[in-house]
Amino acid sequence: MTALPEDRPPLLTEDDRESAVRRLREAYAEGHVAHEQLDACLQRVLTARTHGELKSALAPLPAQEPAPVSTIAAAGGRIRRHGAWRVPRRLKVESAFGNVDLDLSRAVIDHAVVDIELRLGTGRARITVPRDAVVDFEGLRTGWKDVLHRPRRASRTGGPTVRITGALEFGLLKIRHARR
């Protein structure tokens, strides 16, 4: 029987492959992988087509610890981050009655993927992402209004992926791409 397209396992993206190569390099630098083993694992990562093949190529590596979560919280008032601030890999933002304004356009982003978990009661949230960022907010639950986001038409590649999850009860989230 011929497999239909939806029956096939999802293919790897370039972000998946780059993340695996970065993980191999870090394991090699920390002394967890010998030089000969690095070459073999790297070859398997670069030729992998599915997530299963990639997982098998990374099996010799030690288990990866999850990134720590940085939390910004306020019961009321405003949470604001602008300028050249360092964005952690995982950021949790909690506010019961305030507004949130996160500007990542000039921030220092060291990771290919940034996870932002929003826990907001009321108020609005505005997140400005870099011009070339990819935004994923499928994991965000909204109780009152939809998320306002207009993806860039001609996006350059190589920017970070910003994944927004969590819950926004009675507020509004506006996501925009920086103009420069």
Side-chain angles (χ1 to χ4, degrees), residues 77-98:
R78 180 169 48 175
I79 295 175
R80 186 174 185 196
R81 295 290 183 271
H82 282 261
W85 62 290
R86 186 168 300 279
V87 179
R89 165 71 180 80
R90 293 175 57 205
L91 177 65
K92 184 175 186 177
V93 180
E94 299 175 334
S95 177
F97 300 106

Side-chain angles (χ1 to χ4, degrees), residues 81-173:
R81 295 290 183 271
H82 282 261
W85 62 290
R86 186 168 300 279
V87 179
R89 165 71 180 80
R90 293 175 57 205
L91 177 65
K92 184 175 186 177
V93 180
E94 299 175 334
S95 177
F97 300 106
N99 292 332
V100 174
D101 191 3
L102 299 178
D103 186 347
L104 286 78
S105 63
R106 293 187 187 134
V108 177
I109 302 174
D110 296 327
H111 312 283
V113 177
V114 173
D115 289 312
I116 299 175
E117 180 184 350
L118 293 177
R119 296 283 172 202
L120 305 178
T122 61
R124 73 164 175 80
R126 183 174 56 191
I127 300 176
T128 304
V129 298
R131 183 178 184 166
D132 55 352
V134 175
V135 178
D136 174 9
F137 55 91
E138 293 297 318
L140 181 68
R141 183 179 51 81
T142 58
W144 187 48
K145 292 193 174 190
D146 289 330
V147 175
L148 298 176
H149 175 248
R150 186 176 357 160
R152 295 198 58 85
R153 281 185 274 157
S155 179
R156 291 185 237 153
T157 59
T161 298
V162 178
R163 287 192 299 226
I164 302 170
T165 60
L168 183 63
E169 297 302 326
F170 294 105
L172 171 70
L173 172 61

